[in-house]
């Protein structure tokens, strides 16, 4: 499939190379804005003069030490075909402590995968002082392992940290540490397109004191797990339950941050959806039942307007939804394609139902790191079942998006979004 | 102070004894409703026939084992005058594991206080699958240690567990385990009125798998810390920041459950209040700026109506606020006093401002286990400072409530709310 369309993609690639460079530079600038000038003046890691003074600001990749497993500790790698998401972990993990009383960030270490030892009053266990990221590394057709847009995850992680009263850090330093972790466990990156190694950077508040206050100690750690396909290896379209009585996020809250608090309260709603025979929850908001997210994904709708033109629409970053890396990548791809307008605006259930009744609703799909894109086949809403023909078209947009992203992720085409790790 | 009013309180006590029994029975019934009949038929713990079959439903106090510290492990008790809330813990802790694959609840154990060993993918660390309770034990004037209304905490804890996809249990069994823990660490219950031993039962999801799903393993643990006064030993009234752009909870969310997710996202807002020179956050909701909670407390307003009558009002249990045990106790006390109406209805900032301008706003105070009641002196709202004369009256209601509750808690009067532990 990839070979036949390769030439076409290469041509497209040249067209938007310039735009991508701009984007990449903008990302890098955003990280720089978050850091003091003194840190930016000298990025050479062989210079020791900041070592003692800047641990409040960031840890450094150059300080990373690695303690490898002994050969008998190495575990057997599972068959990717049988892999359930998030059940098997690699041999090593990354740990970086932060202790305000000890001057801030401590030296990063890569160690054999192990349990965490936490004070039973640790703030993470009582007040959900916790946040995470989801990223993926892919083994390319050329054997090179690539990580997808780590800068975006690191920028978002710092935003989440800021909002949780947890320490921020230089995202570039963390990316370098993650690449080293990937090198150490490179044999865990599965072979075969569709599979990948999922990285879970996590930041938790570990102060062993009760009281709803900022945590003066924190642990930034990363674990990794090989994954086949997020949805049990099944590419089928999913069914949704849309019940306006369940609200995921609200203005003035933290729905746009990747913090633990956005997830725990959704479990009972997800269970409720399953009990009604649906696979995921479509999260609505407001009296006009705006679509916000689906499960833990962003949402896209492809439809035909009153003039017969086709449009892709996704809700805007209003504070209610997570600024997804895949969401942003899809928007950027479509802007490069210049084949149909890409709108960032509210979608209401009223609009969706009207489009569907007129046969103008073409596709509905979720987007996220775990699944890339996930087509939607139906929505149960107000006791009615809305059928959506997402998977019934020839060359649907959701599949084209997935193919394009996979071309980049698996190294079929060179692209700045996919950063080689060695 | 207590002796002079003792006779009066005793008289009042007889008046509402009947009502309290009804309440207590209702609580007990609520717990029973949550349990299957088979469990209720035989409450004798010397009967072993349910041991293997009911671990899905609850653990049992009779299975509790205790592993005491060695003498050299026992720590020095701190001076309660210097105690900061939640910084010093007792020598022992209670732990009860739940593993669905092993049949459910395991046997409760009391062990020396120690760190928890958690899988780095434990659901509590990523998705805030966590909930807790706050309770207090008091050393009475008669030397007897009493725990305050544990049944209400256990009922609420089961409601939180249910909403988090975590296992529920028989609250009575847990109360008995807690009483045993209190016996073991009874020397840690501070002497002197105003001080107490704070209990923190906590339930966390510990499945070591990524993915936003119900946790099939859980840990219910309890740690305890001696406390002086929650607000740094200072009884002064607190100043608040009321900014309608920050929302604590919303309809369709989990603001009425004691889950970690309700706390983490408030830390940045609390920091913002401190940076503006205010001590706590007054949480507003809706276009009419309804008062919902203050800091982590429920809120009460005492005011004079247009006919010169005095009224106590607190927001209703609408799903936006926590059903506080102290809140409920205050309501029950006032219903017994029959001196002024007790209203459970919305309070808006508009109403509060109007009352204050007319000199009709008498008192505003928070209520919670940690502080019992906390008087409020001012609110910064829409760039104006609203001064509240809470502490400027003779015999204010907030102080009368606190005194009455302390009479019960410290055993000045016998009362079913204060359960002796030995």
């Amino acid at each position: 499939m990839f070979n036949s369309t390769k030439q076409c993609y290469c041509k497209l690639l040249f067209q938007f190379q310039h735009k991508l460079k701009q984007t990449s530079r903008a990302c890098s600038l955003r990280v720089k804005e978050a850091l003091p000038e003194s840190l930016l003046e000298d990025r050479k890691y062989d210079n020791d003069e900041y070592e003692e003074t800047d641990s409040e600001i960031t840890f450094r990749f150059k300080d990373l030490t690695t303690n490898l497993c002994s050969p008998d500790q190495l575990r057997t790698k599972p068959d990717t075909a049988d892999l359930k998401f998030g059940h098997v972990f690699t041999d090593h993990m990354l740990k970086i402590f932060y202790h305000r009383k000890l001057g801030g960030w401590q030296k990063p270490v890569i160690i054999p995968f192990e349990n965490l030892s936490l004070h039973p009053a640790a703030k993470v266990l009582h007040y959900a002082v916790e946040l995470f990221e989801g990223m993926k590394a892919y083994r390319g057709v050329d054997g090179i392992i690539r990580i997808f847009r780590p800068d975006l995850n690191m920028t978002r992680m710092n935003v989440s940290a800021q909002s949780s009263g947890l320490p921020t850090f230089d995202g570039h330093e963390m990316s370098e540490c993650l690449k080293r972790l990937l090198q150490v466990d490179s044999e865990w990156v599965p072979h075969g397109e569709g599979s990948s190694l999922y990285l879970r950077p996590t930041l938790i508040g570990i102060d062993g004191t009760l009281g709803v206050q900022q945590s003066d100690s924190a642990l930034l750690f990363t674990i990794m797990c090989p994954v086949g396909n997020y949805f049990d290896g099944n590419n089928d379209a999913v069914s949704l339950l849309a019940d306006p009585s369940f609200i995921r996020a609200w203005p003035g809250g933290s729905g746009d941050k990747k913090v633990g608090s956005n997830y725990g309260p959704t479990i009972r709603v997800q269970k409720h959806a399953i009990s009604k025979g649906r696979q995921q929850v479509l999260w609505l908001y407001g009296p006009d039942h705006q679509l916000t997210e689906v499960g833990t994904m962003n949402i896209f709708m492809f439809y035909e307007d009153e003039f017969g033109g086709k449009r892709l629409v996704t809700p805007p970053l209003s504070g209610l939804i997570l600024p997804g890396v895949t969401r942003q990548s899809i928007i950027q791809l479509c802007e490069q394609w210049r084949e149909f307008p890409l709108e960032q605006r509210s979608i209401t259930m009223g609009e969706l139902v009207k489009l569907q009744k007129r046969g103008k609703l073409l596709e509905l799909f979720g987007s996220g790191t775990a699944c890339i894109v996930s087509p939607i086949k139906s929505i149960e809403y107000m006791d009615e079942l809305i059928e959506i023909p997402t998977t019934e078209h020839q060359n649907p947009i959701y599949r084209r998006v997935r193919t394009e992203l996979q071309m980049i992720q698996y190294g079929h085409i060179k692209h700045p979004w996919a950063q080689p790790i060695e």
Side-chain angles (χ1 to χ4, degrees), chain A residues 117-129 205-213 215 217:
Chain A
S117 174
L118 294 177
H119 191 285
K123 300 225 182 279
V124 62
L125 304 177
H126 301 262
Y127 309 121
V129 181
I206 58 170
D207 258 20
T209 56
L210 298 180
V212 187
Q213 286 128 12
S215 190
S217 292

Side-chain angles (χ1 to χ4, degrees), chain A residues 95-239:
Chain A
K95 274 169 95 169
I96 316 169
F97 281 96
Y98 177 94
H99 298 295
R100 194 177 304 274
K101 283 183 185 159
L102 299 179
W105 286 108
Q106 308 297 300
K107 294 182 177 180
V109 290
I110 288 173
I111 54 167
F113 189 95
E114 63 173 21
N115 270 14
L116 302 178
S117 174
L118 294 177
H119 191 285
K123 300 225 182 279
V124 62
L125 304 177
H126 301 262
Y127 309 121
V129 181
E130 60 194 72
L131 57 101
F132 64 93
E133 281 297 323
M135 313 161 71
K136 273 183 172 176
Y138 304 85
R139 189 180 294 278
V141 283
D142 50 5
I144 292 174
I145 295 167
R146 292 177 178 81
I147 183 166
F148 190 72
R149 309 193 81 175
D151 305 343
L152 295 188
N153 291 95
M154 291 302 105
T155 302
R156 186 172 65 183
M157 195 168 197
N158 271 309
V159 171
S160 299
Q162 185 92 47
S163 85
S164 306
L166 287 175
T168 55
F169 50 86
D170 182 338
H172 176 76
E173 300 288 339
M174 179 63 174
S175 290
E176 292 302 305
C177 292
L178 291 177
K179 287 176 186 172
R180 178 79 187 110
L181 180 64
L182 277 168
Q183 283 168 352
V184 168
D185 276 341
S186 61
E187 285 183 37
W188 281 89
V189 184
H191 292 256
E193 227 147 301
S195 64
S196 55
L197 191 69
Y198 180 87
L199 290 82
R200 173 58 63 95
T202 310
L203 179 57
I204 59 177
I206 58 170
D207 258 20
T209 56
L210 298 180
V212 187
Q213 286 128 12
Q214 176 171 307
S215 190
D216 285 338
S217 292
L219 173 61
L220 173 58
F221 67 93
T222 302
I223 50 178
M224 307 194 294
C225 48
V227 285
N229 191 299
Y230 193 65
F231 293 101
D232 285 338
N234 187 338
N235 262 331
D236 279 353
V238 294
S239 59

Side-chain angles (χ1 to χ4, degrees), chain A residues 302-303 305 309-313 334 338-343:
Chain A
F302 192 54
Y303 72 104
D305 66 22
K310 290 175 182 171
R311 292 165 179 267
L312 188 63
V313 56
C334 293
R338 292 184 173 279
E339 294 177 27
F340 45 78
L342 183 286
E343 303 172 319

